[in-house]
Each structure stands twice: as C-alpha cells, then as structure tokens.
Amino acid sequence: MGYEELDEIRKQCASCEKCGLCKSRTNTVFSGGIPNDKLMLIGEAPGFYEDKQGEPFVGKAGQLLDKILGCVGLSRNKDIYICNTIKCRPPENRDPLPEEKAACREFLDKQIEILKPRIILLCGRVAVNSMMDTAQGITKLRGKWFEGPYFSKMMPIFHPSYLLRNDSREKGSPKWLMWQDIKEIKRVYDQLCK
Ligand code: URA
C-alpha cells in the first residue's frame, strides 16, 4: 500500500524549528521499519546513535527490541512501523519537556492518522503518558490492552533500556514479563492481522 503522504510529513519534520531541540539535533528521527496498517511501536525519543543515523532504535535498546520482536517472528524489515513520541534528541537523553512534546505532537498524530494501525505498542513511560490519560505507572499498565485511536488496540510495554538494566529472567522479572507481553501481542496480531 502506498503511504506517500508520510513522505511529505517526513520532509516537514526534517525542517521543523518549532522547539529548541532543532538547534542541537544532527538529524530528525521520523520513523523506521515498514509503514503498514497493522503494527506500530511508539518509543520515547531518539538517543545518541539515533540522532547520528536518523533512524529510531538503532542503539543497544534497539538491538534488544529487534531480538524481542524476532522471538515471535516479527521483524522491523517487514512487520512493524517504529516511531517516537518526539523526533529530535533531547540533550543528555533527558525526558522530553511538555513544550517539546506539544510542538512535536502533530507529527505523531499524522503518522497514526495516515497508517491507522490495528495495534499500537506504547514502549515505556513517556509514550504511555503521551497517549493515555492515566496516573498509573507502566508496571501496572503493561501487558493490558486499551482502546487506542481509530479503533486500534493499544498495549503499554516496558522500554528495552529498562530491560537492559534488569538482567534477571526469573518468573515475574521485567524480562519474563516482556516475554509474556510479546507472546500476547503476537497472539492478537495473528488474530487481527492475518
Ligand atoms: N529509545 C527510544 O525510545 N527511541 C529510540 O529511537 C531509541 C531509544
């Protein structure tokens, strides 16, 4: 399916100067993976390597994300569209400021509107706070399905950088919980998208 409209938005994003992050960025990081109407992942913000390469999730956390997806046969080259809450790297990888998220929001909204994915994964706290009106933390929310935009199903999941800081694979550990979540995601993906 053609999603040419996304190319137009990507161009607008590349020249955006709506917040201060445009001064320190090397590249905007608009999206990675494959535009499709099935599966989208929304992360937090570009980090050091993403800023250098203009691609989301290419550092250590991204490599772990690829591995997790691969465990259930999903790949960024054919199955998933990957983007972030904001498209420019915050200095020292600090949390995006409310005004930065607000300035960037139109790009994320357009990505969702154009693709209308059946499933949206909210990867980490920043993505959850951007897409859901809730005071609950990611630990409570992860693994559950919520109603998302355009009748999508939305699931909060742990951010891979959190998993990198938690080595255990024991039952109940963050890595074990992620394994339960990715299996559930694949189950629903197969149901809705095949
Ligand atoms: N972490 C994110 O949330 N997004 C990226 O693109 C890279 C790391």
Side-chain angles (χ1 to χ4, degrees):
M1 214 185 295
Y3 294 112
E4 293 79 12
E5 219 185 324
L6 281 173
D7 297 334
E8 193 45 47
I9 313 295
R10 180 193 288 271
K11 274 186 212 147
Q12 288 171 19
C13 179
S15 58
C16 176
E17 295 185 348
K18 278 207 210 135
C19 82
L21 296 180
C22 67
K23 297 198 185 76
S24 52
R25 74 179 174 226
T26 314
N27 288 294
T28 53
V29 179
F30 185 69
S31 71
I34 291 286
N36 75 93
D37 62 359
K38 299 179 173 75
L39 187 57
M40 170 187 276
L41 179 137
I42 304 174
E44 179 176 332
F48 177 84
Y49 295 102
E50 290 79 17
D51 172 68
K52 292 280 172 259
Q53 296 181 38
E55 272 282 316
F57 283 101
V58 289
K60 271 212 162 118
Q63 288 160 23
L64 179 55
L65 176 64
D66 285 342
K67 239 167 127 176
I68 293 164
L69 294 168
C71 284
V72 291
L74 295 170
S75 127
R76 82 160 78 194
N77 300 324
K78 57 180 177 60
D79 304 307
I80 187 164
Y81 183 81
I82 300 176
C83 60
N84 281 309
T85 307
I86 66 165
K87 314 305 189 201
C88 294
R89 181 191 181 212
E92 313 302 327
N93 298 346
R94 63 156 168 73
D95 275 3
L97 302 174
E99 59 266 32
E100 292 161 355
K101 287 202 277 186
C104 215
R105 182 64 197 224
E106 63 169 312
F107 296 121
L108 179 60
D109 283 343
K110 274 283 177 197
Q111 289 171 309
I112 297 170
E113 186 194 329
I114 292 167
L115 293 168
K116 297 187 178 60
R118 305 295 306 273
I119 298 172
I120 300 178
L121 306 179
L122 304 177
C123 189
R125 173 179 51 86
V126 171
V128 169
N129 291 341
S130 288
M131 295 298 294
M132 292 175 65
D133 189 13
T134 176
Q136 286 199 316
I138 183 95
T139 309
K140 280 262 161 63
L141 297 169
R142 59 132 283 279
K144 298 187 181 130
W145 291 109
F146 297 88
E147 196 178 311
Y150 304 100
F151 306 104
S152 58
K153 284 168 86 76
M154 232 169 32
M155 184 192 280
I157 56 172
F158 285 137
H159 196 284
S161 58
Y162 175 65
L163 302 179
L164 286 170
R165 297 193 296 272
N166 289 273
D167 241 6
S168 167
R169 285 166 194 275
E170 265 172 46
K171 191 169 177 182
S173 67
K175 277 193 173 140
W176 182 86
L177 291 169
M178 179 59 115
W179 176 231
Q180 311 312 305
D181 295 350
I182 196 67
K183 284 190 291 186
E184 167 63 9
I185 290 159
K186 182 60 166 41
R187 185 186 71 77
V188 171
Y189 177 88
D190 284 344
Q191 218 173 55
L192 291 182
C193 305
K194 283 286 148 109

